[in-house]
Amino acid sequence: MKGIFISYRREDSAPYAGRICDHLRRTFPSTSVFMDVDAVTPGADFVNAIDANLGESGVVLVVIGPQWESIKGADGQRRIDSPDDYVVREIAAAMSQSNVIPLLVGGARMPPAARLPAALEALARRNAMEISDARFAADAERLCATIARILDIPQDDQRPSQRVEYGEFFSDAALAKARRRFRLAVWVSYALSALLILFAQIGADREVHSTESPWRLNLPCEDAATDRDRAPCHLVNWIHGELADGETLNKVTTIAGITLGVLLFGFGALVNVKVLRGKNWARIAFVALGGFVIFSLFGVVLSNQLHAVLYVAQLVLYVAAVIAFVWAVRMMYTEPVRRWFLRAY
């Protein structure tokens, strides 16, 4: 699949180029958008990297600001007049192999062919698009629609009016860092919750062993008129008799606790996986689980079957789990993580 290449001068239009790049990456999450500030690996050959990405690009956007053609180099000459200038090389190469779209930003006007070097004269004949500050959302949508037609690629499934415009540009490195930190917070909260379930099972076992069973019941089955009526009565008495036995009750409680724990582990793992993929229902479930952990903390403080070291250990685990959940939920709704959701899945 052909990508999108953004050509710009840092001194002239870096903020505009960054915002346009970010909008394109949100609108076309599966399409490569090349912008040198974050796409060239440190230590890599800059020229070779640009040439390679130009060859893989189906659309080249030339971002032109008010000083695009007048910026001078150290020798006092216009940089655009130098054949070795990176921007000149980019555009000259793109004119012969890609769809080139000039983008006018910051109130800039399209420079006439007379003010351009011979290698760029054809650029003046390209139909330019204005990307204004006041109408950025509408202008950017118009640009995206044009690119979608040229490359025959789908846009994201959000309507333009539902898209959130961000004022800050995040590089791939920043998104990757946010992804690592958010993933760590999510799985740490899961691990602490698993330990809490184990401690809760220990407390439940101790409670069962230390409390006399209230399940004793003896129905008068002899008063039943027929054997058919007495059979269910004897069955009920037998069940209550088994439950009245402390050992049987302990086994039932243990099995129920283990079953519930396995279900909670599985559900928690499913929620975490879906949270990391940006699913809305999973984010709601994750917040709900965090709220449950915070609410349970009060029960641990006020009433607990564990004592001494185990009590302190469980209390510390609850506090750590609360911190982990709050940390993860806070990160979940920050711009880098939300934008990573849109780009990665």
Side-chain angles (χ1 to χ4, degrees):
M1 179 185 296
K2 291 290 188 177
I4 304 169
F5 188 100
I6 300 178
S7 173
Y8 70 104
R9 289 197 182 279
R10 296 183 183 181
E11 301 90 336
D12 173 59
S13 55
Y16 295 99
R19 193 177 182 190
I20 292 169
C21 177
D22 203 38
H23 188 91
L24 292 173
R25 285 172 170 168
R26 292 184 63 248
T27 307
F28 304 109
S30 61
T31 302
S32 174
V33 180
F34 179 87
M35 181 174 170
D36 61 4
V37 71
D38 65 331
V40 178
T41 304
D45 188 298
F46 191 78
V47 175
N48 290 341
I50 289 178
D51 290 343
N53 281 278
L54 269 175
E56 296 297 325
S57 299
V59 172
V60 174
L61 305 178
V62 181
V63 183
I64 300 176
Q67 304 177 51
W68 180 79
E69 54 95 11
S70 62
I71 292 178
K72 298 181 179 180
D75 58 358
Q77 302 297 316
R78 291 194 315 166
R79 292 173 59 180
I80 201 172
D81 292 325
S82 172
D84 296 326
D85 181 67
Y86 290 143
V87 172
V88 174
R89 294 181 74 259
E90 291 170 1
I91 300 174
M95 295 292 288
S96 61
Q97 62 187 28
S98 305
N99 294 282
V100 179
I101 304 176
L103 300 180
L104 305 178
V105 299
R109 294 180 178 276
M110 191 66 189
R115 293 188 57 83
L116 297 177
L120 303 185
E121 286 182 356
L123 180 65
R125 298 193 296 270
R126 298 295 177 108
N127 187 25
M129 296 181 63
E130 182 183 5
I131 306 293
S132 68
D133 295 328
R135 304 185 310 274
F136 179 83
D139 291 343
E141 284 301 322
R142 189 161 52 94
L143 172 63
C144 290
T146 300
I147 293 175
R149 287 195 302 271
I150 293 174
L151 298 182
D152 192 23
I153 54 178
Q155 299 177 241
D156 70 350
D157 57 0
Q158 296 277 12
R159 292 195 300 271
S161 60
Q162 293 178 322
R163 293 204 185 102
V164 178
E165 292 302 329
Y166 299 110
E168 183 179 355
F169 171 72
F170 290 96
S171 65
D172 286 345
L175 292 175
K177 181 179 180 181
R179 173 184 179 180
R180 290 193 300 269
R181 294 180 61 190
F182 180 61
R183 178 177 290 168
L184 175 64
V186 166
W187 287 113
V188 165
S189 63
Y190 175 79
L192 292 174
S193 299
L195 291 176
L196 287 176
I197 293 176
L198 294 177
F199 267 88
Q201 182 60 39
I202 295 174
D205 290 342
R206 291 193 171 209
E207 184 176 3
V208 169
H209 284 295
S210 61
T211 304
E212 185 177 351
S213 176
W215 289 91
R216 294 186 181 279
L217 181 65
N218 189 15
L219 297 176
C221 299
E222 293 76 10
D223 296 340
T226 64
D227 291 339
R228 184 176 182 180
D229 294 332
R230 281 192 291 270
C233 179
H234 286 302
L235 178 60
V236 171
N237 282 342
W238 177 81
I239 293 175
H240 279 273
E242 289 295 319
L243 292 177
D245 178 52
E247 183 177 351
T248 302
L249 183 60
N250 290 342
K251 290 180 180 179
V252 172
T253 305
T254 300
I255 293 174
I258 293 174
T259 303
L260 179 61
V262 171
L263 291 176
L264 288 176
F265 286 153
F267 179 70
L270 175 64
V271 168
N272 282 8
V273 170
K274 296 302 182 181
V275 161
L276 294 174
R277 295 188 176 183
K279 299 299 182 181
N280 288 330
W281 71 264
R283 282 188 269 183
I284 295 173
F286 188 84
V287 173
L289 288 174
F292 176 76
V293 171
I294 294 174
F295 180 77
S296 301
L297 179 60
F298 294 100
V300 175
V301 174
L302 299 177
S303 175
N304 198 312
Q305 295 297 322
L306 301 178
H307 302 284
V309 176
L310 288 179
Y311 173 77
V312 174
Q314 188 177 24
L315 186 61
V316 170
L317 275 177
Y318 262 106
V319 173
V322 168
I323 294 174
F325 269 107
V326 171
W327 179 32
V329 171
R330 178 181 176 277
M331 292 185 63
M332 187 188 304
Y333 293 99
T334 57
E335 285 193 17
V337 173
R338 291 170 62 192
R339 219 172 297 188
W340 167 58
F341 286 155
L342 290 169
R343 288 187 52 191
Y345 299 96

